[in-house]
Amino acid sequence: MPYRARYAEFPEQDSGRAMVVKTQLRGGEVTGLHVGARNVRRYFPKSVRIIELQLDHLQIQCGLPPDFWKGQPEISDPRLCEWLDFKVVHRMGEQKQLKLAMTPAGKSVFRLRSVKQKEDSFAGLESIPVA
């Protein structure tokens, strides 16, 4: 029997609302996004195994491992890490944990952008206010 991906449906009040996520670093290298346990409970039903991330004009699918719901709320994907490393971390000139806004943009689709800061937006990414 073929595997069927399950997608998340978002309650009306959550669609378009940004969650704050952070870049995950180990030894100065980007390893993914730390989503946080509260965001996992709110936006990621356990039945969902694949999400799509919109990164500027790029859209990628990322699998969510079982540990995602068991205290390790991290999204890791080589393409995501490359994009974060190139677009965000290296252009900032520092290797530090950065906050990003992750907004539901459809059925199991999320848009990733920089969080609005006092300074200019990170790496030329479009900034949005976090609700």
Side-chain angles (χ1 to χ4, degrees), residues 52-87:
E52 292 183 20
L53 292 176
Q54 295 176 345
L55 314 169
D56 292 333
H57 300 294
L58 177 67
Q59 186 160 331
I60 62 172
Q61 286 189 340
C62 299
L64 302 176
D67 289 346
F68 186 76
W69 293 273
K70 297 177 183 174
Q72 294 181 357
E74 186 176 322
I75 299 171
S76 295
D77 180 276
R79 297 161 298 171
L80 171 62
C81 293
E82 283 281 326
W83 183 85
L84 287 167
D85 192 48
F86 175 76
K87 193 73 174 177

Side-chain angles (χ1 to χ4, degrees), residues 28 51 95:
I51 62 166
Q95 291 286 330

Side-chain angles (χ1 to χ4, degrees), residues 1-16:
M1 183 174 219
Y3 174 77
R4 298 186 78 180
R6 306 263 334 240
Y7 293 97
E9 294 282 351
F10 300 106
E12 190 73 28
Q13 71 269 16
D14 287 341
S15 63

